[in-house]
Each structure stands twice: as structure tokens, then as C-alpha cells.
Amino acid sequence: MTQTILLADDSLTIQKVVELTFADTQYHVVAVSSGDELLEKLPEVQPEVVICDIIMPEKDGIETIMDMKREQHDLKVLAISGGGRAEPDNYLESARLLGADATMKKPFTHQEMLETIDELLG
């Protein structure tokens, strides 16, 4: 049974890495480039899990996660971050406090990503 992952990351490289990570699995990845796009696609895609970058232009990942969790409390969310002006741990801790079910630092390995998504979906 195919399960859908909705990915929001403004980096095309990360989008491709995640798509390749799940290429030969039961997961199908739908990628968008912003938090606003993610929120627009959410009702259409109805994913089992969302992967959301924290540092994005316009609506950042923290705001996006808060908006998603307000509407869909049981939606599983993995927050990812490579940093920015502060340490990525600070961003990821904020994401966790505001609703992310798991967090991961970039760069990540294919195995780390697969294991984390498998854990989130039980």
C-alpha cells in the first residue's frame, strides 16, 4: 500500500535527495518549495506524513507546522533544518515544541530518513 509524503523544501537538491531516498519504497513523495504551497496542497494530497524544512522564504517551517497542527492534530510532521543564522538545534527544538513529531538535521543519510519516517508511521 502506497503512503504519501508531502515535502516542503525550497532546495531542489533536497527535494531530489528525498525523492531518491523513497524511490524504491512504499512511499510516494510530493514536493513543493514553500510553506504556503504545502498548505495549499495538503487537502489535495492528504499525506500520511509531512517533511517540512524550517528555513524557507515567505512562510517559514515553524509557522507552517503551527498552521498544519491547528487543523490536523494527528498529522505526522518531520521538521528538517540545516541551520541558518543560528544553530539548527535551536530551530529544531522550536519546531518540536510547536508540534513537530520528529526532527532531523541536514545533511541526513538515506537510512536516517527512512528509519525516521518508518518510526513516525509505526
Side-chain angles (χ1 to χ4, degrees):
M1 178 180 161
T2 302
Q3 295 181 300
T4 302
I5 297 169
L6 181 55
L7 165 68
D9 198 302
D10 58 314
S11 166
L12 291 177
T13 301
I14 295 296
Q15 289 181 19
K16 292 298 175 195
V17 166
V18 172
E19 287 170 352
L20 288 171
T21 296
F22 295 102
D24 294 324
T25 70
Q26 74 271 21
Y27 301 109
H28 168 69
V29 177
V30 175
V32 296
S33 297
S34 72
D36 289 324
E37 285 181 86
L38 186 150
L39 294 172
E40 285 176 29
K41 281 275 192 192
L42 201 56
E44 173 190 334
V45 174
Q46 296 186 356
E48 281 73 29
V49 67
V50 169
I51 301 172
C52 187
D53 186 21
I54 298 301
I55 309 297
M56 292 186 289
E58 299 170 31
K59 184 179 290 232
D60 67 23
I62 301 281
E63 291 176 89
T64 303
I65 291 168
M66 287 172 43
D67 289 349
M68 281 188 298
K69 285 296 193 166
R70 240 186 314 249
E71 298 296 319
Q72 299 183 34
H73 305 291
D74 59 344
L75 181 62
K76 299 296 183 187
V77 177
L78 169 61
I80 59 175
S81 181
R85 292 187 193 105
E87 291 296 311
D89 289 335
N90 296 338
Y91 289 115
L92 294 173
E93 181 60 26
S94 295
R96 171 83 76 183
L97 291 171
L98 295 170
D101 299 288
T103 60
M104 183 175 294
K105 283 188 217 178
K106 296 177 191 175
F108 47 80
T109 67
H110 294 289
Q111 192 62 34
E112 287 172 319
M113 179 65 72
L114 285 166
E115 287 174 1
T116 301
I117 295 300
D118 284 342
E119 285 174 22
L120 282 175
L121 295 177

